[in-house]
Amino acid sequence: ERLGLPPERCELVYEAALLHDLGKTVLDERILNKPARLSPQEWQEIKKHPQLGAEILCDTPFLSSILPWIAMHHERPDGTGYPFGLKDEQIPLEARVIAVVDAFDAMIGGEAPNQHRPHRRTLTLEEALAELDRSAGAQFDEQVVRIFKQVVQEWQQQRTTGASA
């Protein structure tokens, strides 16, 4: 909402965020759960998941508007993302939002045990926000990072204030 999206569009972003990694369900679990660094061939397999997710959902008409966001959630403002190598405004805002939220969730370890990345240490909220800051403009949209940080910091403040009240 703070990025100017109307409520119905925000609801679609939420739905796309829930489904964005659906393509991983058809990938080899040995690659997905590999505790060591991926080989170049394994990395190429992982990079297929955004498009695979969109393809899985393509025959679901009411989800058609979110397919590009799912397919493009690993695109980067600097053009080094995948699968299409898009840059800046070529990437839908909704996909840029999902990219930030997805990365943040991965950095803090997610909510479920199976979301923990075996090859990376879990970061604190502050460390994850600092990492988003460091990558803003290259890996992540700067405006989305700025707004996301504000929302997380407000949430933290409300939790702290609510806990002491």
Side-chain angles (χ1 to χ4, degrees):
E1 291 172 346
R2 292 190 191 185
L3 290 165
L5 295 174
E8 61 277 1
R9 197 76 168 178
C10 292
E11 182 62 32
L12 288 172
V13 172
Y14 173 76
E15 291 169 11
L18 293 175
L19 297 168
H20 78 280
D21 274 345
L22 185 63
K24 287 183 177 179
T25 63
V26 296
L27 297 180
D28 185 337
E29 282 192 37
R30 291 171 297 188
I31 296 173
L32 286 174
N33 299 322
K34 185 177 177 181
R37 193 179 269 292
L38 297 176
S39 71
Q41 296 83 4
E42 291 167 332
W43 182 237
Q44 289 307 311
E45 286 301 304
I46 294 290
K47 289 168 73 172
K48 293 177 182 177
H49 84 270
Q51 277 186 282
L52 289 170
E55 288 172 18
I56 290 168
L57 298 170
C58 73
D59 291 329
T60 310
F62 69 93
L63 295 176
S64 63
S65 63
I66 70 172
L67 298 182
W69 313 338
I70 291 171
M72 297 177 194
H73 77 272
H74 279 292
E75 297 292 346
R76 298 169 56 147
D78 66 4
T80 63
Y82 59 89
F84 308 113
L86 302 176
K87 291 178 82 167
D88 297 320
E89 300 301 317
Q90 292 176 314
I91 308 162
L93 175 60
E94 297 86 352
R96 290 181 269 152
V97 169
I98 294 167
V100 169
V101 174
D102 181 39
F104 182 78
D105 188 56
M107 286 186 259
I108 64 168
E111 292 182 13
N114 68 342
Q115 292 175 309
H116 296 261
R117 306 282 167 104
H119 54 281
R120 288 199 190 124
R121 131 181 127 74
T122 299
L123 303 182
T124 66
L125 288 177
E126 292 74 21
E127 289 171 328
L129 291 174
E131 184 59 35
L132 288 176
D133 256 347
R134 275 191 292 281
S135 301
Q139 184 175 355
F140 306 112
D141 180 278
E142 290 175 292
Q143 180 186 18
V144 173
V145 169
R146 187 177 69 253
I147 298 295
F148 182 79
K149 276 184 60 180
Q150 288 172 2
V151 170
V152 170
Q153 289 166 342
E154 289 169 14
W155 173 79
Q156 279 183 296
Q157 193 171 21
Q158 287 174 354
R159 267 187 52 198
T160 306
T161 307
S164 63

